């Protein structure tokens, strides 16, 4: 259970929808003639892309990501236009979580934002995380962000998912990525990211995880690729298929917990040291 310490999420905006929201869409034709052929980002998450727009955007983003894997916005777009079935399954996993945590996450909709005087619905106090015991999950997360100069606020926004519930599931998945690094002790290197993508594939079923891992492996030389296949891949399969669904973990409530204890509870073994 989360203690009443200073590292808790400062504030949360409760979701006004019921746990079983209706899934209806509203279509707008305004300014349709000004849209690119693959459709415009649906920032209000009200109007779904047409099948042609969805297919066109999938092909365009997949081609762009293949030619330049560093185009993170194209990878993000690809995950959205190809992930509907997987996101629906993730949503169902949250709704049927026997502990009730998945439902609470959907209701609270916490955001993984650090406190920078922003207007997000929740903020994480990094100073409080720094002050925690060094063996805690929260302090380890603080060290990871500081070491690699990562900013949780820079995660890509969800643009092409019309359903608000599924859009939040995608956002939660993206914003939890650095938590996964801390949990598994995987470095943000190319082999480490490839291994984590395979874990995420088995955890979420998102097609983009398989595509990212496949295309990313082309960046490894033959020696590193063989080491990755022998060490990281078997580990990723074991961890991805074992234990609790990570989408149902309320990470913000685990900051004060011992990291090894959290790993044990979730059935996670630390990643092998490869490079």
């Amino acid at each position: 259970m989360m203690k009443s310490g200073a590292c808790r999420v400062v504030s949360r905006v409760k979701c006004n929808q019921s746990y079983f929201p209706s899934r209806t869409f509203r279509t707008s034709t305004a300014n349709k003639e000004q849209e690119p052929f693959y459709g415009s980002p649906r920032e209000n998450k009200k109007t779904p892309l047409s099948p042609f727009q969805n297919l066109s955007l999938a092909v365009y983003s997949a081609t762009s990501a293949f030619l330049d894997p560093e185009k993170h916005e194209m990878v993000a777009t690809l995950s959205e236009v190809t992930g509907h079935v997987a996101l629906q399954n993730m949503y169902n996993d949250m709704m049927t979580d026997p502990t009730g945590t998945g439902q609470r996450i959907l209701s609270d909709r916490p955001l993984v934002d650090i406190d920078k005087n922003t207007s997000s619905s929740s903020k994480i106090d990094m100073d409080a995380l720094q002050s925690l015991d060094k063996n805690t999950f929260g302090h380890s997360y603080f060290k990871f962000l500081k070491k690699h100069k990562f900013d949780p606020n820079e995660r890509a926004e969800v643009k092409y998912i019309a359903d608000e519930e599924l859009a939040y599931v995608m956002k939660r998945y993206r914003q939890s990525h650095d938590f996964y690094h801390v949990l598994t002790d995987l470095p943000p290197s190319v082999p480490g990211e490839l291994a984590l993508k395979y874990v995420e594939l088995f955890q979420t079923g998102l097609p983009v995880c398989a595509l990212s891992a496949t295309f990313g492996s082309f960046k490894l030389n033959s020696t590193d690729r063989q080491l990755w296949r022998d060490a990281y891949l078997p580990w990723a399969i074991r961890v991805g298929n074992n234990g609790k669904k990570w989408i149902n973990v309320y990470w913000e409530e685990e900051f004060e917990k011992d990291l090894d204890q959290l790993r044990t509870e979730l059935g996670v073994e630390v990643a092998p040291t490869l490079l």
Side-chain angles (χ1 to χ4, degrees), residues 215-270:
F215 295 155
S217 65
F218 297 150
K219 300 179 68 174
L220 298 175
N221 59 44
S222 58
T223 300
D224 290 344
R225 188 178 298 113
Q226 186 62 45
L227 289 172
W228 174 75
R229 288 175 178 172
D230 292 343
Y232 269 163
L233 185 56
W235 168 87
I237 295 173
R238 290 196 306 273
V239 172
N241 285 301
N242 184 43
K244 182 176 181 178
K245 290 289 186 180
W246 296 354
I247 195 66
N248 287 330
V249 179
Y250 214 136
W251 302 105
E252 296 85 347
E253 296 182 352
E254 305 292 348
F255 282 150
E256 295 184 33
K257 184 172 291 184
D258 180 88
L259 179 55
D260 289 333
Q261 179 184 347
L262 180 61
R263 287 167 174 160
T264 300
E265 292 176 358
L266 297 180
V268 175
E269 62 178 281
V270 174

Side-chain angles (χ1 to χ4, degrees), residues 87-110:
L87 289 170
Q88 183 65 64
N89 290 335
M90 293 167 68
Y91 174 84
N92 292 340
D93 286 338
M94 298 177 77
M95 291 300 301
T96 58
D97 178 18
T99 70
T101 305
Q103 295 95 316
R104 284 201 300 116
I105 294 172
L106 288 172
S107 176
D108 294 350
R109 293 192 182 184

Side-chain angles (χ1 to χ4, degrees), residues 63-84:
T63 302
S64 299
F66 176 77
L67 296 175
D68 184 3
E70 297 301 320
K71 286 187 175 182
H72 301 296
E73 72 279 6
M74 288 293 98
V75 177
T77 298
L78 183 63
S79 68
E80 294 177 27
V81 298
T82 62
H84 179 81

Side-chain angles (χ1 to χ4, degrees), residues 167-240:
Y168 175 73
V169 174
M170 173 61 80
K171 189 178 188 71
R172 182 65 175 175
Y173 155 71
R174 286 180 183 169
Q175 293 190 335
S176 298
H177 183 79
D178 291 333
F179 292 145
Y180 301 167
H181 274 288
V182 176
L183 186 68
T184 60
D185 199 30
L186 278 169
S189 60
V190 174
E193 292 290 356
L194 292 179
L196 190 52
K197 282 302 176 186
Y198 268 107
V199 174
E200 292 177 351
L201 171 63
F202 295 118
Q203 277 278 326
T204 68
L206 287 167
V208 74
C209 296
L211 294 172
S212 297
T214 300
F215 295 155
S217 65
F218 297 150
K219 300 179 68 174
L220 298 175
N221 59 44
S222 58
T223 300
D224 290 344
R225 188 178 298 113
Q226 186 62 45
L227 289 172
W228 174 75
R229 288 175 178 172
D230 292 343
Y232 269 163
L233 185 56
W235 168 87
I237 295 173
R238 290 196 306 273
V239 172

Side-chain angles (χ1 to χ4, degrees), residues 151-164:
D151 185 347
N153 298 348
E154 295 178 351
R155 288 289 172 190
E157 291 295 325
V158 178
K159 297 180 179 180
Y160 292 99
I161 299 177
D163 187 296
E164 292 185 3

Side-chain angles (χ1 to χ4, degrees), residues 20 28 40 43 103 111 117 156 165 175 188 203 243 257 264 267:
F20 298 93
S28 172
S40 300
E43 295 183 359
Q103 295 95 316
L111 300 179
N117 297 317
E165 290 293 311
Q175 293 190 335
Q203 277 278 326
K257 184 172 291 184
T264 300

